[in-house]
Every structure is written in C-alpha cells, then in structure tokens.
C-alpha cells in the first residue's frame, strides 16, 4: 500500500490531522506554507507518499535538490503495509509513522499544501495556499481516495469502538480493528471487500486470517463464525495463490461469500447489508459481533478533474514507461495511475526504477528503453507467524523472487513482512535506492527468470 491519503482529502466527517509528532524535527530541506509569487522547478512532484518521496530522492540525485520541489500537506508520513499487523495487535501504530520533515530529501523544496489544480497545458500547478508553481517536468504521485462516506449508515469514526467496527485502511481507524478483536465475545466476525479498485487487495483477507488465529489463541473460535464477503468473483486474482488460500479457508472453517458488496451498516443493530452483484437489487443482512470495513476507493479528485485523467478518473499513463499518454513531460507512479496491476508499495518500488530510467531518457531526448512488467507483490499474512508471498505481473502470472514455492505458508516470509520490509521501506525505497527485487530475482534463479 502507498502512504495514507485519506487523512487530509476526505470530507470533514473523516478528516483528522496529525501534527504533534513533527515538533522538534530539524528541517534540513526548505519549505513553504504561505502564498507567494509564482515559482518554477525543473521537476515538480505531487504527493508525499511512497511514490512521491522516492521519486523526489531520485530526482535530487539526478538534477540537484534546488531543481526539485514536492507538494504535500500532511505533517506525518505512514508506512501503511504494517497496519495489517497493527489491526491484529502485533505492532503499534506509532511504529508506522514518521514526520514528513524527516523523509523529504534534504534541500528539496517542500510545499506544505494540498494540490488544488493541475493545468498541463500551461505546465502549472495551483496549491491550496494560493501558490502557482510552474514546472518543466511533472511527476504525479497523489494516491487514491478512500470513500467511507459512501457506505450508508456507517457511523462517525469516534463511535466505531462502541459499534465494534474497525478498518485497517486509515490511521484513524486501524486501532479500532484491534479494539473490536479484543472485545469479541461470540457470533460473526465479518470482513468486506468493496466493488471498486482498492490498494493492497490482499489486506481485507489478511486481517481475517489473523482474526481466526487470535480467536483460536484466546479460546473463542468455537463460538465464532469468520465470514469473508467479497465483491470479487474469486478469492484472489492469481490462481496459484488463490488455490492455496482456498485450502487454508477450508481447513480453518472460514466462510467465503463471493460477489457480495457492503452497501449499508445498521450499527445500532450490529447488522451489515450486502448486495448480490450477480443479481442487482437483491440484498442479504448479516449480523456481526465484529465488522472490518474495507472502504470503496476511487481516483484522486484533483487528478480526476484534470486533463491528465482517463475516462474513469485515473492518471492516464503508458503501462510500460509510466509517461503520460497525453503530455510527454508528465509522469505518474503508484495508486493514482491507471496501470492495470495491483496497487501496492511493492509495485511503487518497481515502478520507481523504471520511471527513473524513463525520465533519464526523456531528459536526453531519447526514447525510453526499459519496460515495466506490472510487477507487484502481496505478502498474504495467514497467521501471526506465516505469510504466503504472492508476486506477479500484468498478466497475473507469478513472478517470484525466491527459488521456492511461494504459495506455501512460511515463517521466513512473515519475518520479512514484519521486520525486514519496514527497514527496506524507510532506508531503501524512500531514499531512492530500492527499485524492487528484479535484479535479485535473476540471481536467485541463476539468470533463468
């Protein structure tokens, strides 16, 4: 998953700011938070999530810090993949965040504001604080939008603990998942997957497996039903891993209902209403003792409202080079794009390496020569000490790093997910040094893959 966008781009109902953690941080980069005259940068990066920070670091090395600026309003930057473990009580939420000031590359201009408007015809961006910034090259990394408000009846977040609701998809709600899990007595533990594109498509079921494990550990599983209602027609999009997950689901007595989309929550009755997508209009009511909500998601509204978007509102880029299909000096990375692959942090890492090369070639008026193959990864957490490491490409074909069968549950992969990957994120990806496991895959497979 890419870094949290919902914190500052949701309607007021869902808005919550995180500023106190930035106190006392040494600001090694320049910053701006007030309206000023028009500024110009050779490279302007929109968004301070994983894609934006890593590309800022790469562009700084390529062009010099004084030629790069990044626009991002949030004072905190979050490593979202760890929220799966936070929701299950295996990690604490504080470990997932660091001040944005500490991850913006030193010397790079940080514009502390939201993006208001992108005008690619004039090579300008207008920010929420009144600045107009012009650019020679633009990198869009604005992430996607969470839409909790589209679920009818879903209560205000501050009431979620009372109604036994949680969600691992935002910093405001992830600890409420752990609260609901701890307070579970008996009945249905219910997990949802929306009828929209999502980031980290494995996350909705990872917390389901962890809940099953927790209830077994605490002696509550005999009086619990673990239920996964997904809008998808499959358990997972890649057959090799889906087959392995079906075996786990059957062996652990987990109920999976396909093509079921959450449309309403009746919190006072602890009921959730699902629509049968194969028979629109037909609904079914499920009682719950715990409800984990994966919100509907959609394109960033600024991207959607710009000339850079495709018909669905996603940033329209070439799937191999990540260059805009409409404006050759504009590029995209991560969740905001229409790249037909799973939206994950691992995908951002692989994309960053390709985009770095693409921009290098464009700067020299040469044709991009490296192609993104759609590589993405999903460490499917199946218990408190096992993971199935799914890695695949645009075609849904496994693209595995290790010379072993990665569809098997392994404690080594759990260790990598829980302990190695966060270190690689903060000290590798965000510094612009980690571009995915591609080179290592060739070594591991003796050059055969």
């Amino acid at each position: 998953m890419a870094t949290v966008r919902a914190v500052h781009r949701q309607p007021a109902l869902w808005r919550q700011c995180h500023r106190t953690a930035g106190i006392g941080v040494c600001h090694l980069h320049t910053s701006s938070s007030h309206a000023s005259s028009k500024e110009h940068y050779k490279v302007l990066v929109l968004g301070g999530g994983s894609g934006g920070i890593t590309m800022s670091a790469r562009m700084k090395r390529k062009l010099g810090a004084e030629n790069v600026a990044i626009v991002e309003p949030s004072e905190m930057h979050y490593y979202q993949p760890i929220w799966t473990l936070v929701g299950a009580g295996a990690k604490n939420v504080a470990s997932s965040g660091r001040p944005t000031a500490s991850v913006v590359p030193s010397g790079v201009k940080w514009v502390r504001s939201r993006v208001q408007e992108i005008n690619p015809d004039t090579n300008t961006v207008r920010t929420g604080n009144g600045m107009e910034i012009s650019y020679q090259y633009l990198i869009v990394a604005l992430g996607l939008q969470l839409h909790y408000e589209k679920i009818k009846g879903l209560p205000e977040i501050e009431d979620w603990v009372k109604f036994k609701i949680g969600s691992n998809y935002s910093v405001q709600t992830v600890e409420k998942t752990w609260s609901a899990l701890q307070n579970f007595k008996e009945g249905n533990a219910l997990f949802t997957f929306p009828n929209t594109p999502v980031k980290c498509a494995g996350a909705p079921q990872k917390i389901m497996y962890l809940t099953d494990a927790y209830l077994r550990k605490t002696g509550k599983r005999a009086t619990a039903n673990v239920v996964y209602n997904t809008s998808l027609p499959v358990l997972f999009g890649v057959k090799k891993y889906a087959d392995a997950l079906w075996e786990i689901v059957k062996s652990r007595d987990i109920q999976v209902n396909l093509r079921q989309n959450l449309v309403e929550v009746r919190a006072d009755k602890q009921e959730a209403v699902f629509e049968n997508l194969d028979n629109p209009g037909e609904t079914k009511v499920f009682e719950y003792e715990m409800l984990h909500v994966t919100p509907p998601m959609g394109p960033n509204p600024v991207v959607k409202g710009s000339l850079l978007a495709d018909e669905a509102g996603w940033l329209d880029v070439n799937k191999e080079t990540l260059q805009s299909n409409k404006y050759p000096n504009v590029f995209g990375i991560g969740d905001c794009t229409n790249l037909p692959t799973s939206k994950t942090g691992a995908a951002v890492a692989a994309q960053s390496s390709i985009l770095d090369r693409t921009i290098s070639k464009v700067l020299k008026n040469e044709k991009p020569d490296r192609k993104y193959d759609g590589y993405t990864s999903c460490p499917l957490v199946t218990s408190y000490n096992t993971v199935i490491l799914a890695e695949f490409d645009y075609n849904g074909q496994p693209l595995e790093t290790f010379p072993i069968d990665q569809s098997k549950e392994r404690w080594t992969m759990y260790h990598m997910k829980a302990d190695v990957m966060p270190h690689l994120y903060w000290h590798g990806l965000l510094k612009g040094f980690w571009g995915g496991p591609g080179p290592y895959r060739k070594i591991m497979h003796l050059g055969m893959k």
Side-chain angles (χ1 to χ4, degrees):
M1 287 190 269
T3 297
V4 70
R5 284 279 160 268
V7 172
H8 53 269
R9 294 197 178 101
Q10 294 303 314
L13 181 65
W14 306 103
R15 190 178 297 134
Q16 182 170 330
C17 296
H18 308 268
R19 301 192 179 274
T20 55
I23 295 172
V25 173
C26 178
H27 294 257
L28 298 175
H29 48 78
T30 58
S31 63
S32 175
S33 57
H34 303 289
S36 66
S37 59
K38 187 171 179 178
E39 296 186 8
H40 176 82
Y41 294 91
K42 191 174 184 76
V43 175
L44 181 62
V45 180
L46 305 183
S50 51
I53 296 293
T54 189
M55 291 313 300
S56 295
R58 287 175 177 270
M59 293 302 101
K60 173 189 169 180
R61 280 203 301 277
K62 195 181 300 293
L63 299 168
E66 69 279 2
N67 293 309
V68 182
I70 183 168
V71 183
E72 170 58 48
S74 296
E75 293 288 335
M76 288 292 288
H77 177 106
Y78 292 96
Y79 175 61
Q80 292 183 30
I82 210 69
W83 287 348
T84 285
L85 301 181
V86 173
K91 295 281 186 179
N92 64 71
V93 73
S95 70
S96 70
R98 296 187 182 181
T100 302
S102 71
V103 298
V104 173
S106 62
V108 167
K109 177 67 170 286
W110 174 21
V111 180
R112 294 155 114 142
S113 183
R114 61 188 177 85
V115 178
Q116 182 87 25
E117 183 182 14
I118 306 169
N119 191 336
D121 285 332
T122 58
N123 295 328
T124 57
V125 168
R126 193 161 49 84
T127 66
N129 61 6
M131 287 181 68
E132 185 174 82
I133 309 170
S134 60
Y135 59 82
Q136 189 172 348
Y137 300 98
L138 182 70
I139 299 174
V140 184
L142 285 170
L144 52 64
Q145 182 95 345
L146 303 181
H147 288 294
Y148 288 104
E149 79 284 353
K150 289 190 176 181
I151 301 170
K152 181 181 176 182
L154 189 65
E156 297 272 4
I157 287 174
E158 56 263 29
D159 295 327
W160 280 22
V161 171
K162 178 173 66 175
F163 294 119
K164 301 184 178 182
I165 301 170
S167 176
N168 289 354
Y169 273 87
S170 82
V171 72
Q172 306 104 304
T173 60
V174 62
E175 290 178 298
K176 298 184 188 336
T177 303
W178 176 227
S179 176
L181 185 51
Q182 289 175 293
N183 294 330
F184 187 95
K185 294 182 175 64
E186 62 179 12
N188 292 337
L190 189 56
F191 304 84
T192 75
F193 189 110
N195 188 31
T196 66
V198 300
K199 55 182 174 181
C200 195
Q205 61 182 292
K206 295 177 195 179
I207 188 59
M208 171 188 73
Y209 300 121
L210 286 163
T211 295
D212 171 77
Y214 179 81
L215 295 177
R216 291 179 189 279
K217 184 169 66 174
T218 53
K220 299 177 182 177
R221 186 63 178 89
T223 57
N225 300 310
V226 179
V227 183
Y228 183 54
N229 284 0
T230 173
S231 65
L232 298 177
V234 293
L235 183 56
F236 193 74
V238 179
K239 186 178 185 302
K240 176 178 180 175
Y241 307 116
D243 289 346
L245 293 170
W246 276 117
E247 290 301 316
I248 293 171
V249 161
K250 290 171 185 173
S251 69
R252 298 182 192 173
D253 193 28
I254 294 172
Q255 180 183 338
V256 177
N257 300 307
L258 304 176
R259 303 294 284 156
Q260 297 293 316
N261 182 43
L262 177 67
V263 293
E264 183 181 356
V265 174
R266 299 168 182 167
D268 55 334
K269 298 179 182 178
Q270 289 185 206
E271 293 178 345
V273 183
F274 292 82
E275 181 180 23
N276 180 353
L277 295 176
D278 287 331
N279 189 11
E282 176 189 309
T283 59
K284 185 174 181 180
V285 178
F286 288 75
E287 294 182 347
Y288 67 83
E289 169 69 3
M290 168 190 176
L291 174 65
H292 179 270
V293 175
T294 302
M297 303 181 203
N300 179 282
V302 175
V303 173
K304 186 176 182 179
S306 77
L307 296 171
L308 299 173
D310 65 9
E311 289 183 358
W314 303 96
L315 188 75
D316 188 18
V317 296
N318 182 291
K319 63 181 272 190
E320 294 179 337
T321 66
L322 280 68
Q323 188 174 21
S324 168
N325 285 320
K326 302 171 183 176
Y327 296 87
N329 65 329
V330 176
F331 309 88
I333 186 171
D335 296 352
C336 68
T337 68
N338 63 356
L339 295 169
T341 194
S342 188
K343 299 177 185 294
T344 68
V348 167
Q351 291 164 22
S352 71
S353 175
I354 299 298
L355 184 51
D356 192 328
R357 177 73 174 186
T358 292
I359 292 174
S360 290
K361 288 292 185 179
V362 171
L363 287 169
K364 297 174 184 175
N365 290 317
E366 296 176 6
K367 187 177 180 181
D369 59 354
R370 280 189 63 194
K371 297 179 179 180
Y372 176 50
D373 56 12
Y375 172 83
T376 190
S377 173
C378 184
L380 292 154
V381 182
T382 54
S383 75
Y384 282 89
N385 58 8
T386 55
V387 157
I388 290 174
L389 182 59
E391 296 179 288
F392 48 98
D393 63 14
Y394 275 137
N395 299 315
Q397 296 301 308
L399 194 58
E400 298 180 344
T401 299
F402 301 98
I404 55 176
D405 182 1
Q406 290 182 200
S407 68
K408 296 188 181 303
E409 295 178 276
R410 299 181 189 273
W411 71 266
T412 50
M413 297 304 174
Y414 180 89
H415 170 63
M416 190 170 73
K417 157 75 177 175
D419 305 311
V420 177
M421 287 182 175
H423 184 82
L424 192 61
Y425 180 84
W426 296 112
H427 303 287
L429 179 64
L430 295 191
K431 305 293 185 185
F433 295 125
W434 175 248
Y440 304 95
R441 185 184 308 118
K442 289 185 178 180
I443 295 170
M444 292 278 192
H445 292 270
L446 303 177
M448 302 295 288
K449 201 168 184 178

